[in-house]
Structures are given as structure tokens and as C-alpha cells.
Amino acid sequence: MTIYQTSPANYNSSRITVLNNTGVFLSSDQLQVPATDLGLSIKRRLTIEQDGNLRMYSLNESTGGWTETWSALAHPCHVHGICGRNSICRIFRDHARCSCMPGHEMTDHEDWRNGCKPLFSIVN
């Protein structure tokens, strides 16, 4: 279940959340999500990414790199607006791939969130 399916409150209501020192994300609406690498000695962070998804990362102290250990929306295509209007989202090797619907082209060739615009005009 996603965070939105388990939450009894409206999405704009206030909540208190905590990422505890063992790697469990706790919310005042009773949501509890454990990191995939539970443990006391691991440094973690929560980040709201540019695509709008909330992700938990764990630090690998030997390399200095961060590894994703949880995300609110596990399926990249379920993140609202990742590909924008008039576009199609498909998964390719665990990443979202966007494409325009037939008869459309990218609105902004540097940002899929702006979606696709039609190559035809609509006449009333």
C-alpha cells in the first residue's frame, strides 16, 4: 500500500514525522516504514526529490555515497506529473521513461514535467 492509501487524514492536514535512529520513518497518522537496512550505526536522510517523491537514503561511510533504502512511491510512473501532460510513462530498468503520445511533441526538450504539446490544432 502507498502512503496515501494508508492515511486516514486529508493530504493537507498537519502531521508530525520522525526518522528514528534505527531507520524507521514514523508518522503521527500511525504510518511506520522501515529502511531496508535497519540498524543503529547508519546515517540516514529523508529527501523530497525534484520529482515530488519522498525518499530515504543511507550513507555508505567507506565510499561516501548515498543509497536509496525507501521511497514513498516505489513505482516511478506513479509520481504525479513526472512525464507531464499528453505523455506516456514506462519503466525501463527501474527508471521512468517518458514519451509523447502520437501526434504530440515535447513542450520543453530539457524537462519532461512540462509534458507534450499537440502537433495539430483543434477547431470548434
Side-chain angles (χ1 to χ4, degrees):
M1 295 183 77
T2 69
I3 224 171
Y4 303 108
Q5 293 167 321
T6 60
S7 175
N10 293 332
Y11 301 142
N12 64 354
S13 65
S14 296
R15 294 194 183 94
I16 298 170
T17 60
V18 174
L19 177 58
N20 73 17
N21 59 357
T22 63
V24 178
F25 175 76
L26 305 160
S27 177
S28 59
D29 63 358
Q30 307 308 310
L31 176 69
Q32 293 187 22
V33 180
T36 56
D37 60 349
L38 287 174
L40 282 171
S41 62
I42 301 169
K43 292 184 174 110
R44 294 184 177 81
R45 67 181 168 98
L46 284 171
T47 304
I48 298 177
E49 300 289 348
Q50 189 173 8
D51 64 10
N53 201 357
L54 176 67
R55 293 184 177 91
M56 183 188 309
Y57 294 91
S58 295
L59 178 64
N60 180 330
E61 293 203 28
S62 62
T63 66
W66 292 92
T67 303
E68 182 181 317
T69 55
W70 174 79
S71 64
L73 299 172
H75 194 290
C77 288
H78 289 169
V79 177
H80 178 72
I82 195 166
C83 291
R85 293 188 318 186
N86 302 315
S87 62
I88 300 165
C89 184
R90 293 187 181 115
I91 299 299
F92 181 76
R93 295 185 183 158
D94 295 331
H95 289 77
R97 280 271 172 101
C98 304
S99 61
C100 291
M101 294 188 328
H104 293 74
E105 68 179 1
M106 279 184 78
T107 301
D108 176 353
H109 290 280
E110 296 189 21
D111 191 350
W112 272 106
R113 291 173 298 169
N114 292 317
C116 303
K117 61 184 176 185
L119 294 170
F120 53 88
S121 28
I122 300 173
V123 180
N124 288 337

